[in-house]
Amino acid sequence: MCEKMLSWVHNCTKGSSEWDLLELYCGNGNFSLAVAENFRKVLATELSKVSVDAAQWNIEANKIDNVKIVKISAEDLTEAMESGQEFQRLKAQGVDLKDYDCRTVLVDPPRAGVGRSTCEMLQKFDNIVYISCNPETLKENLKLLVETHEISRAAFFDQFPFTHHIEVGVFLKKIAIGQPKSNDLDEGSVAQLAEGGPAQQAEGSAAEQAEGSTEQPRKRPVSPSAGTSSPLRPKVDSGSKLEDE
């Protein structure tokens, strides 16, 4: 299931080789390394020192040279980007934000979701990949994000069978000036998502898509140890872009 999630994010971010990726809450670099080949450079941030060390190990083990992991919180990075001033914590780690042209941002926040100031910062990017482990906080964040972006793709990942937990992936694209918003804001979908409703509804077409797909990311991160209500979504029909991975 983890490989399917990595593959889904990899497919969402294709065609971005001229630009850079910003990733928040990168953990041990699972997403960072899997999508690195899609971008010129990747700037990934994480607050946990243990996770940063694991990410650095992954970078060396996979011989990837375009990923930079920085120990900093999403809130502090937001402050640095909004102020436009030199941030000593970034400078000490050899990072100058002016060296990056990030058009896509990837976030995989904890269950508490993304804070409002960071959410407002995300609105400035052309593309947003949001991986959520909590549909309730995802819903709240999307209320703000769909003011500037539209949901292009979504997927559900059942990593914990026989529990109520579910991972959700949402890919949003910025709405062009003068373009009408096409999102159908369905407040009741959160409860349906928690119960598996939308996922079951799209199960048939998703299974066919997964069976027919042979493309996988070429670089797989390895780990230093072995243990290492939904949102606002387009309506689902037989031709929907909503995917159940």
Side-chain angles (χ1 to χ4, degrees), residues 82-148:
E82 294 298 308
S83 68
Q85 299 177 0
E86 188 175 67
F87 211 70
Q88 289 301 318
R89 195 174 308 174
L90 292 173
K91 183 179 179 181
Q93 298 179 71
V95 172
D96 185 347
L97 294 177
K98 296 177 182 178
D99 294 336
Y100 292 85
D101 184 10
C102 298
R103 308 289 180 90
T104 299
V105 59
L106 190 160
V107 295
D108 183 13
R111 292 186 62 80
V114 178
R116 183 174 182 86
S117 61
T118 300
C119 240
E120 291 174 347
M121 184 267 288
L122 299 183
Q123 290 180 307
K124 299 180 180 180
F125 289 83
D126 292 343
N127 306 303
I128 304 170
V129 182
Y130 194 131
I131 304 296
S132 171
C133 59
N134 185 351
E136 292 292 340
T137 52
L138 172 62
K139 168 192 170 183
E140 294 305 314
N141 286 159
L142 285 179
K143 284 182 179 179
L144 181 61
L145 295 179
V146 296
E147 292 179 359
T148 55

